[in-house]
Every structure is written in structure tokens, then in C-alpha cells.
Amino acid sequence: MQPLIVKKIKLKEMQSKNKIARIAGLLYLLLIAAGFFYLKYVPSKLIDWNNPAATVSNITASETLFRLGILVGLIGYTLFLLLPIVLYKLLSPVNKTYAVLMVTLAAASVPISFVNMLNNFDVLTLISHDAYLKVFEADKIQAQVMLHLDYYNSGNLVASIFWGLWLFPFGYLVFKSGFLPKVIGVLLMIGCFGYLINFMGHLLFSEQYSKAGIAIFITTPGSLGELSICLWLLIAGVRNKQTQTVRTN
């Protein structure tokens, strides 16, 4: 009778863990989709760094898309605050210290990102308020717009320090958990250093680093790790430690 009760308790625990894992996976998927939209898609459609006039024209003509990018970005930052909290519930039994560190490092980027978004609001102010359009010449408006877009990129670069740092304790917890694939944990930990190297490359070498085109190779392990853990949590959930041990033996 007692073994049956223990078995039921363990089953309930696994079901609870799987529920948390799938919530985390869903939040992660939404975060990745939001990040792709406001960090990649919107800039690729509107911003031409070599042509300020075209950039201002694009944003003016597609102001709704630019505003949608801001909205999705703010939603993404909120998701990045919620995701580590859900992951904490899942991974804190593995190592509470690393779990707290994971949440702290992720949360540190959120206020930076929210404040940084003010640069995009400034762009909207410059292109949509008649008072500015009447006072400043077109080339000055264009220069101001590009300056704020550049500020926004620099703010994202600073935030990316924490986008990377949180991956190390997260990857460590995944690696040590016993119920998530170790290889994903390794990719996440490598991804931490990828973000940091990318930051230092942009900071120290600027144009040369951008022209070299190596950033994509440096950040690939982290991207693979994040996409993998997102899909694993969402689809597979967590594995029973005992079952994994039996299969290994």
C-alpha cells in the first residue's frame, strides 16, 4: 500500500513539473518570436544605416509597423521577466543559489531594456510632431532619428551582457538537473560566453567586427541552446530521473 502511495506522489510531482516546464516553454517561444520581430524583422524593413533619408521615409510610411515593433518589444521584455521566475520554480530544487543567480541576472536586463525603448519613442516624436518638423530642417531631423536609433542599438548591446550572463547559471541547472538534456545545458553555458564576446567585439572593434561577419558564428551555440530548451520544455517536458538512469544502464 505504501509503495503505491509513494508512486502516486511521485506521479503528481512529475505532472506538476511537466506543467511548469510547458508554461516555461510557451513563454520562451513567445519571447523568441517577439525578439525576432522587434530586433530583426522591423529593423530590416525600416532601417537603412547608410541612408538616413530612406530610413525616415520608411518609418514615416510604415509608422504602424514601427509602433508595433515597440509594443512587441515591451511585451518581450515583460516575458523575459516572467520566464526566469517560472524556470526558478522548475530548477530551484537542483541548486537554489544558481537558480536565484539566474533570475537576478535575467531581471537586471529588463529595466535597461525598458528605459532604452524611450529612444524609439523619441524617433516617433521627431517624425510625427509638426512642431519639430517646422523648426528643424529635413537633414537635421534625419540625423536626430539616426542618432536615437543608434542609441537604441547601443542600449541593446548593454542589455545583451545580461542576456548572456543569465544563460550560464541556467545552462548549469539544465546540465545538473537530470531531467533535461545535458547537451542543451552545455550549449546554453557556451552561449553565455558568445554574448559576452559579441559585446566586447562590438565595443572594442566596432566597424571591423561588424564587417568581419563572425558575430553569427559566435552567437550560434547560444541560439541553438535557447531554441532547443524552448522546444524541449514545450514538447517533451521533463524526464523522470529514475527512468533516465535505467535507460542509461
Side-chain angles (χ1 to χ4, degrees), residues 2-114:
Q2 193 172 0
L4 184 61
I5 294 172
V6 172
K7 191 175 180 181
K8 283 183 178 180
I9 292 171
K10 286 185 177 180
L11 182 61
K12 277 193 172 182
E13 286 177 353
M14 281 301 296
Q15 288 173 341
S16 176
K17 277 188 176 182
N18 272 305
K19 185 179 178 180
I20 296 169
R22 288 187 166 86
I23 291 171
L26 179 60
L27 289 173
Y28 221 140
L29 184 63
L30 292 172
L31 175 62
I32 290 171
F36 175 80
F37 183 78
Y38 74 85
L39 290 175
K40 299 292 183 184
Y41 179 77
V42 173
S44 72
K45 292 295 180 182
L46 302 179
I47 301 173
D48 183 347
W49 292 105
N50 298 315
N51 193 336
T55 299
V56 172
S57 176
N58 291 340
I59 295 173
T60 304
S62 304
E63 190 177 324
T64 302
L65 177 61
F66 191 76
R67 288 180 181 275
L68 189 59
I70 293 174
L71 176 61
V72 172
L74 295 174
I75 292 170
Y77 302 146
T78 305
L79 289 170
F80 196 49
L81 187 61
L82 297 175
L83 173 62
I85 295 171
V86 177
L87 287 172
Y88 177 86
K89 291 188 70 175
L90 181 67
L91 297 169
S92 57
V94 179
N95 187 307
K96 192 169 183 179
T97 302
Y98 273 82
V100 169
L101 184 61
M102 173 188 70
V103 174
T104 304
L105 290 172
S109 75
V110 177
I112 297 171
S113 298
F114 269 103

Side-chain angles (χ1 to χ4, degrees), residues 110-152:
V110 177
I112 297 171
S113 298
F114 269 103
V115 172
N116 186 41
M117 191 61 84
L118 291 174
N119 286 300
N120 282 339
F121 281 102
D122 287 341
V123 170
L124 286 175
T125 301
L126 286 166
I127 66 167
S128 59
H129 283 218
D130 291 337
Y132 292 105
L133 296 173
K134 288 175 182 177
V135 173
F136 296 109
E137 295 176 2
D139 58 339
K140 289 183 179 179
I141 293 286
Q142 292 163 13
Q144 284 292 316
V145 166
M146 298 307 290
L147 183 62
H148 283 290
L149 291 174
D150 207 20
Y151 284 159
Y152 177 68

